[in-house]
Amino acid sequence: MRVSLVIAGLVAGCAVAHAQDKLVLDGSTTVGPIAKAFAESYMRQNPGVNITVSESGSGNGAKALLNGTCDIANLSRALKDSEKKAMEEKGVKPAAHVVAYDALPVIVHPSNKVKGLTIEQIRGIYTGAIKNWKDVGGSDLPIVVISRDTNSGTFETFKELVLGKEAKICEGAEYAGSNGAVRQRVQMTNGAIGYAGLGFVDHTVKALEINGVAPSAETVLNKTYPVSRELFMFTNGEPAADSLAAKFIGLSLTPKGREIIEEIGFIPVPEKK
């Protein structure tokens, strides 16, 4: 019997069913493909289980965990201090589970002859100090700046690691609601520059070297690629070892889970030696 994955938006105020046969996840559009693939695999092996995955962004995932409308919050960043404080005040005890690693490649149209940029050059482009590709070794072509929306964990990571917390993205920048939307805009626009999770880079765009280092599993794990991050699943407290939540998150450390993560384009957590 073919079991299909239910992808549904969460209804405000609805209670989460904590029975062993139901699991609700919400949050990051970056972690979403991992969660969906895990859900499909788990439900295929366990036909009586219903796992729902929504992708409303890391910030909304944290809110869903705070409000009790999800069992697992997917975040492509660590919790903010403000989120931790709100959870503490409400008695929520967030437990972080790293399920994979990711790079944040800066991507351009395949026709762009620029091979790489420095962090300083990327910062200059995104803050508006550099407006034309000819100023960084490219063609005489205006730069079209594409960013993720400000509620996304991808945006938060990029801002922290590349722009600096005080920097503001230039006026005229376009904002996209998902990694896939960034890729689509870049692949259709000769002068565009964007950034997305490693799993969203394919032949339709070109990933640039940053500070002379290309994004890859090796450069992320040895910490030479300067824009990388952990991908999280958060629960309210440590789930019981025999709970559905624990089994679901634990997939990331199994051979099947590692295979799924690699197939999607992310980097599995290294096995402990």
Side-chain angles (χ1 to χ4, degrees), residues 46-190:
N46 302 274
V49 173
N50 183 356
I51 302 173
T52 303
V53 181
S54 297
E55 295 182 334
S56 63
S58 291
N60 287 328
K63 289 176 185 174
L65 189 67
L66 171 68
N67 295 327
T69 55
C70 75
D71 300 296
I72 297 174
N74 299 324
L75 271 71
S76 59
R77 57 167 174 79
L79 285 175
K80 299 178 183 178
D81 289 340
S82 58
E83 291 166 339
K84 291 178 183 176
K85 183 179 179 183
M87 290 182 187
E88 183 180 347
E89 290 174 351
K90 205 165 181 178
V92 174
K93 299 178 179 179
H97 311 272
V98 177
V99 294
Y101 291 91
D102 186 23
L104 263 190
V106 169
I107 56 176
V108 296
H109 191 272
S111 66
N112 196 317
K113 66 181 184 181
V114 172
K115 182 182 178 183
L117 295 169
T118 64
I119 288 285
E120 290 72 21
Q121 287 173 323
I122 299 168
R123 187 182 301 123
I125 289 170
Y126 271 84
T127 56
I130 300 172
K131 301 179 185 296
N132 195 296
W133 283 109
K134 69 181 181 182
D135 297 325
V136 289
S139 302
D140 185 0
L141 187 67
I143 299 173
V144 180
V145 175
I146 314 296
S147 174
R148 281 299 312 279
D149 55 281
T150 57
N151 187 52
S152 79
T154 302
F155 170 83
E156 295 284 354
T157 300
F158 184 80
K159 185 173 183 182
E160 179 182 349
L161 297 179
V162 178
L163 302 183
K165 291 186 177 180
E166 302 304 317
K168 295 189 183 301
I169 290 184
C170 61
E171 290 185 17
E174 299 179 21
Y175 292 86
S178 69
N179 286 287
V182 172
R183 178 180 61 194
Q184 184 177 31
R185 187 70 176 93
V186 170
Q187 71 190 21
M188 295 171 59
T189 311
N190 288 348

Side-chain angles (χ1 to χ4, degrees), residues 101-103 197-201 259-268:
Y101 291 91
D102 186 23
L198 186 62
F200 293 86
V201 175
E259 180 183 330
I260 288 172
I261 290 167
E262 287 185 333
E263 284 178 354
I264 294 173
F266 295 114
I267 303 156

Side-chain angles (χ1 to χ4, degrees), residues 6 8-11 14-19 21-27 35 50-54 64-65 68-74 234-235 244-245 248:
V6 179
L10 293 178
V11 179
C14 70
V16 173
H18 294 279
D21 62 347
K22 293 183 184 294
L23 200 61
V24 175
L25 294 88
D26 191 14
N50 183 356
I51 302 173
T52 303
V53 181
S54 297
L65 189 67
T69 55
C70 75
D71 300 296
I72 297 174
N74 299 324
F234 280 88
T235 54
L244 178 55
F248 184 85

Side-chain angles (χ1 to χ4, degrees), residues 100-106 196-199 201 207-210 212-229 262 265-268 270:
Y101 291 91
D102 186 23
L104 263 190
V106 169
L198 186 62
V201 175
L208 301 180
E209 294 181 354
I210 298 181
V213 181
S216 68
E218 183 181 1
T219 59
V220 168
L221 292 176
N222 68 20
K223 302 186 186 310
T224 58
Y225 186 72
V227 190
S228 58
R229 59 181 173 174
E262 287 185 333
F266 295 114
I267 303 156

